[in-house]
Amino acid sequence: MAKQYYKSIYFSDYPAKETKEKSITLAFSEPELPYFSKVKEMSTQEIKELIGVESFQQLTLFVEKQERSINQVVKRLIKQNLSEIDQIKGMSKRDVTFVKSKDIPFQRWYPYIEGYSTDFVKSLIENFEIRNTLIYEPFAGTGTTLFSSDEKGLSTVYSEVNPLLQHLIQTKLNVLKTEEQKRKTLSSFLRDISNSILQNLSKFEEDKALKEAYKLLFADSKYFSNETLSQVLKLRSYIDIVRLENELLADTLTIAVLSCLLPVSYLKKVGDVRFKTQKEIEKELKTFEEILPQKIADIAEDVLNFNYSLKFKHELILSNAKNIGRVNELKIGAIITSPPYLNGTNYFRNTKIELWFLRYLQFENDLRFFRDQALTSGINDVKKEYACINGLDISTKSSLLKSTLTDLHKKAYDSRIPIMAKSYFEEMYRIFSDCRIHLNDNAKILIDIGDSIFCGVHINTDEILIDILTELGFTLIDNKILRKRRSRNKEILTQSLLVFQYHQKNSKQVRKTTPTFWNQNWKQFKINVPHQQEPYSRRNWGHNNHSICSYQGKLKPAIAHHLVKTFVPETGTLLDPFSGVGTLPFEAALSGKMSYGIDISLPAFYISQSKVTVPISIEVFNYINTLKQFITNNKCTKEELSEAKIFGFNKTLSEYYEENTLTEILLARRFVKQNYPKTPSEMLVVASLLHILHGNRPYALSRRSHPIVPYAPTGEFVYKNLIEKLTEKVNRVIKAELPLNFKNGKIFNQDTTLIWPQEINNLDAVITSPPFFDSTRFYLANWIRIWFSGWSDKDFKYQPNSFVDERQKKDFAIYESIFRQSKERLKKDGVCVLHLGKSVKCNMAEELQKISKRWFKTADLFDESVEHCESHGIRDKGTVTSHQYLVLV
């Protein structure tokens, strides 16, 4: 018997009592399989639109005239009208949605419905003959354009503002460029983990910081059951441990967990994310046990069996397409993109659980900061000040837009709706305007876009975009309807493909540069080298709080002072992405300027945050008193005492301290791990304690050692009371006067090569002194302080691999994300200044100039002799021959 294929079409007016019976079923024979394959995934509404029939009554009338069966008539209509599906050769309606990606290797890792398929992009590249050129994707999503372009032999640069999607793209790219044997190993690890991950969770603690962020961000909202939330927090800790040994394995595991967060939560994505109803909870709520092992197994299968290796490098050129004009010339031959539709969708709110898990949402305003970066496409993206952006009145560029905005002002139930529409088109205008400096002659621009309806007003997005891009000098080649859609109120909408071509004018646009206020200051800096002059050349010049805690490799305060004075305007804002113990941010704070810092080291974070914030005495002494009670009421475990006897580098911990002092230090370490400092005042206590852990003066808890690097101790074992010495140190810090214009700063503890907190923006200057190429290893020079802050023997083995001082010895490309983010976070006339070390082995300025040229031009490079530098008693100063000041604009 010949095989049959069946497809049901629902009709609300079908004569049947039960809803499930209100449908007709089409039967396709084996020769009709090509037609069935094109409609099997289509919805009832899409098939109705295809055959031009809305109701069963309408269908029966048509069938009577044809004198054929319903089955025959509907199939004939489908065959006749399938040309609507194939408007572009080789492409179907399902290609322009995410549906086809649900089962495609790599694409299925994370369900992102606001996307199209790889087949769609490949068909565009073929049909519009895009060859031998660079493609730009300004709204990359999950990376479909990138992977499709690679298959067609094309390289891309891209933008994507959502860190979740950046993580998805980068992890896929990293897997696809991994050689076969490493893929096999990765797949094997994933399969093993899929069988054991949930059983092993009991061995891990909940991530405390993530739990605190959950409470702060989501307040009384309950997104998970208590049991599931605990699993989520333990999964975070589990992945962090995996990351110590295998970063790519950790990243793929992260994607598996991310894809499961909504199914195991009380939330559901239906357009926007909302709470599940009680019925949906009973019917749809999943557990990690049900879905996580299978998701990990699916990823393992794709890693092993997807027989494809990446051909090209695909570069995140900027996270935000709005900033594309700030990049140096790219030579783009095509833009292929599907921008967010003007549909009210809150893209960041819809991914807030995932962003929280990835630690990109930590503070109350983080979600707002992300929305401010995004293309304005939803009501919640709107700010009142958006009503006028930099004087551009976009309504003058399109008469259709002008009349649409007039209708929206009359009918809108919310005053933000017309502002939203106006802002959307202004921002799109600016993006494509700024793209022009990067486009080759005859470059093609392909935009997949949908229209929308708000309060009864139809916004013809495609027609308005045609108006404003034509105004910019783009020539419309085609406007194809890809498919018809339905709005929430059931009105018909369309999804269209706009095709433009760009012809360069005789003269290319040149980015305007404005004179900088710091030019004269910088000339004087180079002439006078002020930090080498009195009083700045004195060993202990600077505010006493620079010495809250001694630290190997600390930038000289006098250099920091003059760099801030030279490059940061009054009331300006500074970021140091390698802030260490906060020397630059503290100098900015002392001069009344807003300062931010980023550092991967936890001790450095505690020290620097306590410097850039005015301490609150009551918080300081409450924390000390709580610590004192903890030490009094607790005893060391056998494990703690055993670790102290065997752990250390030049000597073991037990060789540094008298027995009772060591006990107090071990208990203090446990206290800090269990009650980690949450406020700058509490961090001041820990920073002060870190300072007194070793040294060669009476304040130190250790035997005689060194205050910066813990050299092997000498002298008698003498008991030092931890609380007494700590209180003395803290009192000295609190009593140090700060200027009246002191401005509190903010430090973040993270890897600076990852995405910076969104709060850091609109900067006047990025000034930093990254680790010198031949510098002493910070984690070894500060090993006792790092151990006290929580590192174990295993951490010392693996954690340094994530430090820039180690990574840059393999590849300076790790600085790409730092330069990219610096360019995006700076004001248009902002400056990036790097204080570097030149050695016989490496000319750092020369190497970093190569990396930075995508985003910056070199304004100056100044070399300074290091003969004036002190050794501070350090026997090995390294091989640095001069200091370099690289000034980028």
Side-chain angles (χ1 to χ4, degrees), residues 270-467:
V270 186
D272 280 335
V273 168
R274 62 161 173 81
F275 277 99
K276 291 169 182 166
T277 64
Q278 188 57 42
K279 285 186 178 179
E280 287 171 336
I281 289 173
E282 293 169 3
K283 183 179 179 182
E284 300 175 15
L285 188 65
K286 303 291 185 182
T287 65
F288 277 118
E289 287 75 9
E290 291 176 285
I291 58 174
L292 181 58
Q294 184 58 53
K295 176 56 70 173
I296 297 172
D298 288 344
I299 293 175
E301 181 185 347
D302 291 350
V303 169
L304 181 64
N305 296 326
F306 191 59
N307 188 23
Y308 184 81
S309 293
L310 215 59
K311 301 183 182 74
F312 295 93
K313 179 181 178 182
H314 302 277
E315 182 181 359
L316 176 63
I317 192 68
L318 287 170
S319 65
N320 197 334
K322 295 180 190 177
N323 296 323
I324 190 62
R326 299 188 182 192
V327 185
N328 292 329
E329 189 174 353
L330 291 172
K331 297 181 180 178
I332 294 167
I335 296 174
I336 301 177
T337 191
S338 180
Y341 290 5
L342 183 56
N343 57 10
T345 298
N346 192 330
Y347 291 96
F348 277 107
R349 183 177 174 275
N350 285 348
T351 56
K352 65 182 178 181
I353 294 294
E354 293 93 332
L355 290 170
W356 160 76
F357 186 80
L358 288 168
R359 297 192 176 104
Y360 290 118
L361 293 184
Q362 297 186 48
F363 306 100
E364 290 179 274
N365 292 326
D366 282 349
L367 198 59
R368 175 76 259 177
F369 287 131
F370 275 120
R371 289 206 302 264
D372 290 347
Q373 299 300 312
L375 184 73
T376 303
S377 57
I379 293 177
N380 289 319
D381 298 334
V382 172
K383 281 184 172 181
K384 289 183 179 178
E385 57 265 33
Y386 284 13
C388 183
I389 302 177
N390 298 328
L392 172 66
D393 183 0
I394 192 66
S395 64
T396 63
K397 310 295 182 184
S398 167
S399 57
L400 176 57
L401 175 59
K402 188 171 186 177
S403 62
T404 302
L405 292 175
T406 300
D407 288 345
L408 285 173
H409 278 290
K410 290 177 183 176
K411 299 179 181 179
Y413 56 84
D414 188 317
S415 61
R416 294 175 297 173
I417 292 175
I419 299 175
M420 173 190 70
K422 187 170 185 285
S423 300
Y424 178 85
F425 290 108
E426 281 176 341
E427 291 167 19
M428 291 286 278
Y429 179 89
R430 290 192 180 282
I431 289 169
F432 285 98
S433 174
D434 289 347
C435 280
R436 292 178 298 175
I437 62 171
H438 303 298
L439 295 176
N440 296 335
D441 194 28
N442 296 320
K444 295 184 176 73
I445 294 84
L446 287 75
I447 306 171
D448 168 15
I449 196 69
D451 55 0
S452 53
I453 293 175
F454 282 91
C455 42
V457 178
H458 189 181
I459 303 176
N460 292 286
T461 310
D462 54 342
E463 297 294 339
I464 295 170
L465 283 178
I466 289 170
D467 285 349

Side-chain angles (χ1 to χ4, degrees), residues 603-621:
F605 167 62
Y606 291 152
I607 297 163
S608 52
Q609 185 64 74
S610 65
K611 280 183 183 178
V612 301
T613 313
V614 177
I616 300 171
S617 295
I618 191 169
E619 286 187 8
V620 170
F621 292 108

Side-chain angles (χ1 to χ4, degrees), residues 21 36 66 123 163 245 260 264 516 527 593 624 707 719 779 858 873:
E21 295 175 358
F36 170 74
Q66 295 292 314
S123 68
E245 298 188 43
C260 296
V264 302
T516 50
I527 293 170
K593 296 164 184 177
I624 291 176
Y719 170 67
Y779 65 93
T858 299

Side-chain angles (χ1 to χ4, degrees), residues 136 317-318 320-330 373 390 430-431 434-435 437-438 511-512 761-763 819-830 852-857 889:
Y136 175 48
I317 192 68
L318 287 170
N320 197 334
K322 295 180 190 177
N323 296 323
I324 190 62
R326 299 188 182 192
V327 185
N328 292 329
E329 189 174 353
L330 291 172
Q373 299 300 312
N390 298 328
R430 290 192 180 282
I431 289 169
D434 289 347
C435 280
I437 62 171
H438 303 298
R511 189 189 304 158
K512 295 179 181 178
N761 215 335
N762 209 31
L763 302 167
F819 288 124
R820 170 173 50 77
Q821 294 189 86
S822 293
K823 176 57 81 172
E824 288 206 81
R825 307 304 179 91
L826 283 164
K827 294 175 181 175
K828 286 189 176 180
D829 58 350
S852 68
K853 66 182 180 181
R854 275 285 208 199
W855 301 275
F856 288 97
K857 293 184 179 358
V889 293

Side-chain angles (χ1 to χ4, degrees), residues 163-213:
L164 162 66
L165 303 180
Q166 286 186 31
H167 178 83
L168 291 170
I169 291 171
Q170 193 57 55
T171 302
K172 291 177 189 176
L173 291 174
N174 289 340
V175 171
L176 287 173
K177 67 184 180 185
T178 300
E179 60 189 41
E180 183 180 359
Q181 187 53 49
K182 288 184 178 179
R183 279 203 215 179
K184 288 180 179 178
T185 302
L186 175 61
S187 178
S188 177
F189 283 149
L190 286 167
R191 284 198 305 273
D192 291 343
I193 289 172
S194 72
N195 294 324
S196 63
I197 184 169
L198 296 173
Q199 293 89 329
N200 288 334
L201 275 189
S202 59
K203 301 175 184 176
F204 295 87
E205 296 181 357
E206 296 178 353
D207 187 291
K208 290 182 181 178
L210 196 65
K211 190 172 186 177
E212 290 295 324

Side-chain angles (χ1 to χ4, degrees), residues 208 621-637 640 660 662-676 685 689 722-723 726 788:
K208 290 182 181 178
F621 292 108
N622 281 345
Y623 196 69
I624 291 176
N625 289 334
T626 309
L627 170 60
K628 181 179 180 180
Q629 291 171 16
F630 186 90
I631 292 174
T632 302
N633 298 328
N634 288 275
K635 293 182 179 181
C636 290
T637 64
E640 287 171 329
N660 292 319
L662 177 61
T663 297
E664 292 178 7
I665 291 171
L666 292 173
L667 289 170
R669 179 175 184 257
R670 192 201 309 169
F671 171 84
V672 172
K673 286 179 72 175
Q674 294 177 1
N675 306 274
Y676 65 90
V685 176
L689 180 49
L722 183 147
I723 296 297
L726 175 61
F788 183 87

Side-chain angles (χ1 to χ4, degrees), residues 517-518 521 525 555 557-570 572 574 583-595 765 767 833:
F517 80 92
W518 48 262
N521 296 343
F525 182 101
L555 181 68
I559 297 177
H561 172 80
H562 286 287
L563 288 176
V564 170
K565 185 178 179 180
T566 299
F567 290 104
V568 186
E570 296 299 323
L574 159 82
T583 307
L584 273 159
F586 184 49
E587 277 299 318
L590 287 168
S591 61
K593 296 164 184 177
M594 183 60 200
S595 59
I767 306 177
V833 183

